[in-house]
Amino acid sequence: MKRYVLTASVAALALAATAGFASARDQIQIAGSSTVLPYAKIVAENFSEAFSDFKTPVVESGGSSGGLKEFCKGVGENTIDIANSSRPIKESEVKACADAGVTEIQEVRIGYDGIVFATDINGPDWALTAQDIYKALAAQVVVDGKLVDNKVAMWNEVNPALPDWDIAAYIPGEKHGTREVFEEKLMTEGCKASGALDAIKAAGADDKAAAAACIAVRKDGKAVDIDGDYTETLARIDSNKTGVGVFGLAFYENNADKLKVATVEGVAPSVETIAKGEYPVSRPLFFYVKKAHLDVVPGLKEYVNFFLADEMVGPDSPLAEYGLVSAPDAERDEQRAAFEAGKTM
């Protein structure tokens, strides 16, 4: 990833801000991904017990994009130290960080997760494909070789094997990293498989416009953006027993007494199928550390090292028990070595 050069004035402000808050804040501040949120809270609680000299880190949600936006506001007392994210940081975000004085960012990959489709536990079994999801939720679909507004009302109109339920899907809002994985691995793939991508290009769209059209979601109430965390999605399903929700694997597993999960492309989501790369809708999970804060905020370096320990992210750790898919041994070792070496993006 490219490095960006600060102007002298921004660099001076950044240095002054970092130097000035050493004694003003003694608590780690973290925000971002709702998927990473429960893992970070578990680590924060265990960290507090293991390191009594440091205050318990403050961990908040806000979505991957929201957390990275806060992270990139600058350095100093009033800016967060870590941004949790369920997707890699974007080039545009790295530039925004640099423009605000955040010139050294350390990326930490904590493991893997999968995105699942789940319904009320008492509903029928579901077997979905990317094409099913696209045809049900896309703003436009191909009918008789032409691209038209999506008017499909029932799931069994998309695929006769699906239930005769009204389409009602609760999907992560656009600020969530989960939404981007949903767009990339389901909507885009379904767009290709259904022939819609070819129809969009045949209508004159260039590659960029075609990609945007493929991920456009219908706005007629059949697909509902959820800007809060997964508990809000669960509440929607609880009030609408024929609704379909999009969750992270860990949240589903911790609510398996209320939810029934669908297969995707014939594969059931599980720690095993994600670890083996068999489940098609999986993704790495990250957090990003502001290097300028490491030697200033008490406990920050210790927190990161604690998070990366096998006792926290290994296959027998509390995070794995909660639902995190641990990275292979060599990858975990690589992440620890990169952080200790001070490697930045």
Side-chain angles (χ1 to χ4, degrees), residues 108-129:
V108 178
R109 189 166 60 249
I110 67 170
Y112 296 86
D113 186 29
I115 296 173
V116 308
F117 283 75
T119 56
D120 183 77
I121 186 107
N122 295 313
D125 292 338
W126 282 63
L128 289 166
T129 67

Side-chain angles (χ1 to χ4, degrees), residues 219-299:
K219 301 296 185 183
D220 58 357
K222 296 293 186 183
V224 180
D225 283 8
I226 302 297
D227 290 325
D229 59 24
Y230 293 137
T231 56
E232 183 180 346
T233 309
L234 182 61
R236 294 294 189 111
I237 292 176
D238 188 52
S239 64
N240 177 13
K241 300 300 185 182
T242 58
V244 180
V246 179
F247 301 97
L249 174 70
F251 187 88
Y252 156 70
E253 288 189 332
N254 283 279
N255 290 277
D257 58 330
K258 304 179 186 73
L259 297 168
K260 177 175 287 188
V261 73
T263 61
V264 177
E265 306 293 351
V267 181
S270 69
V271 169
E272 292 75 21
T273 58
I274 291 171
K276 292 177 181 177
E278 296 170 353
Y279 185 65
V281 200
S282 58
R283 38 85 185 271
L285 303 177
F286 305 87
F287 63 82
Y288 292 90
V289 184
K290 201 170 288 180
K291 190 174 181 181
H293 287 197
L294 278 175
D295 294 322
V296 182
V297 177

Side-chain angles (χ1 to χ4, degrees), residues 83-122:
N84 294 328
S85 183
S86 58
R87 59 159 175 83
I89 192 171
K90 299 175 182 177
E91 280 281 329
S92 59
E93 290 166 331
V94 174
K95 184 178 186 306
C97 270
D99 289 345
V102 185
T103 57
E104 293 186 296
I105 302 169
Q106 292 192 256
E107 180 183 82
V108 178
R109 189 166 60 249
I110 67 170
Y112 296 86
D113 186 29
I115 296 173
V116 308
F117 283 75
T119 56
D120 183 77
I121 186 107
N122 295 313

Side-chain angles (χ1 to χ4, degrees), residues 37-109:
L37 177 69
Y39 301 130
K41 283 190 171 181
I42 291 170
V43 174
E45 291 166 4
N46 281 271
F47 176 78
S48 180
E49 293 175 4
F51 292 86
S52 57
D53 289 344
F54 302 123
K55 289 186 176 181
T56 304
V58 175
V59 186
E60 298 179 335
S61 188
S64 298
S65 296
L68 286 163
K69 184 177 180 180
E70 288 298 314
F71 182 82
C72 290
K73 284 185 174 179
V75 296
E77 176 186 355
N78 296 319
T79 66
I80 64 174
D81 310 302
I82 290 176
N84 294 328
S85 183
S86 58
R87 59 159 175 83
I89 192 171
K90 299 175 182 177
E91 280 281 329
S92 59
E93 290 166 331
V94 174
K95 184 178 186 306
C97 270
D99 289 345
V102 185
T103 57
E104 293 186 296
I105 302 169
Q106 292 192 256
E107 180 183 82
V108 178
R109 189 166 60 249

Side-chain angles (χ1 to χ4, degrees), residues 129-132 134-135 186-198 214 265:
T129 67
Q131 187 171 178
D132 294 335
Y134 177 82
K135 286 183 174 180
L186 293 171
M187 295 297 288
T188 298
E189 291 304 312
C191 186
K192 294 175 184 176
S194 70
L197 178 59
D198 291 336
C214 275
E265 306 293 351

